[in-house]
Amino acid sequence: SQTIHQWPATLVQPVGSPLSLECTVEGTSNPNLYWYRQAAGRGLQLLFYSIGIGQISSEVPQNLSASRPQDRQFILSSKKLLLSDSGFYLCAWSVTGRGTEAFFGQGTRLTVV
Amino acid sequence: AQRVTQPEKLLSVFKGAPVELKCNYSYSGSPELFWYVQYSRQRLQLLLRHISRESIKGFTADLNKGETSFHLKKPFAQEEDSAMYYCALSGLTGGGNKLTFGTGTQLKVEL
């Protein structure tokens, strides 16, 4: 069966420090991968999505970047965190096709202090 | 561009009353619409998809291409329906799927 792992669950980082959030998927090949930020009143904002290794699409200009070094690994990064980067980050995956379901990780609560 | 709009942040109804959560979309191609639900302290999960034309937990949603809507309905609300509901649109792009969500509607069912 397919599973998705996202870590860490919570993270407190100082302003100006780097960030690396990791997401891995098991039990499937060539998934679509997604990073979202969930905020009250703003819903699920799509940050990045990837349809294959090394293929990253950015949806909103920001202080973050994403990489996909392996087929089932998706990393969210920042070189220098800002206070405004605080939030709840969700990783998800789906297979390509009509009506396919997306599966979500447990999320990471990032607090920048 | 693909966009999903959920006009209500919060919807409060009494148990047994009908529920309608609104969703409108904008998409130039053939849309794939979904409703996802997040119960307290649980992961976001799929509730239903338009392509299946199914009823899940008493909820239904019909895709209306003329009005570009995909409203979620249930005739009689139950207390356990209280949750955050997200409408989502999946568009095929460059060999993969791009999945965008609305801002969500918090449904509160009161006794």
Side-chain angles (χ1 to χ4, degrees), chain B residues 15-35:
Chain B
K15 179 181 176 180
V19 174
E20 182 177 42
L21 303 177
K22 296 189 187 309
C23 172
N24 288 90
Y25 67 90
S26 174
Y27 185 60
S28 56
S30 182
E32 300 272 341
L33 276 298
F34 306 79
W35 277 98

Side-chain angles (χ1 to χ4, degrees), chain B residues 56-95:
Chain B
I56 302 295
K57 299 183 179 181
F59 285 98
T60 60
D62 292 318
L63 178 61
N64 186 323
K65 292 187 178 181
E67 295 182 357
T68 60
S69 68
F70 189 57
H71 303 327
L72 182 68
K73 299 178 182 179
K74 184 170 182 177
F76 308 104
Q78 301 298 313
E79 189 179 0
E80 57 266 28
D81 295 330
S82 294
M84 190 71 172
Y85 292 80
Y86 292 95
C87 183
L89 185 154
S90 178
L92 287 173
T93 175

Side-chain angles (χ1 to χ4, degrees), chain B residues 10-15 19 21 77-79 81-85 105-111:
Chain B
L10 173 66
L11 182 64
S12 185
V13 302
F14 286 105
K15 179 181 176 180
V19 174
L21 303 177
Q78 301 298 313
E79 189 179 0
D81 295 330
S82 294
M84 190 71 172
Y85 292 80
T105 299
Q106 181 72 47
L107 175 64
K108 183 178 180 182
V109 180
E110 300 182 76
L111 299 176

Side-chain angles (χ1 to χ4, degrees), chain A residues 54-76:
Chain A
Q55 300 180 67
I56 310 293
S57 295
S58 175
E59 288 297 292
V60 293
Q62 59 204 312
N63 185 43
L64 302 169
S65 63
S67 61
R68 184 171 178 172
Q70 299 180 47
D71 182 42
R72 289 170 288 181
Q73 185 184 28
F74 205 24
I75 298 172
L76 184 67

Side-chain angles (χ1 to χ4, degrees), chain A residues 2 18 29 43 49 53 56-57 59 80 86 89 100 105 112:
Chain A
Q2 304 94 344
S29 296
Y49 71 99
I53 296 175
I56 310 293
S57 295
E59 288 297 292
K80 290 184 178 181
S86 295
Y89 292 86
T100 62
V112 183

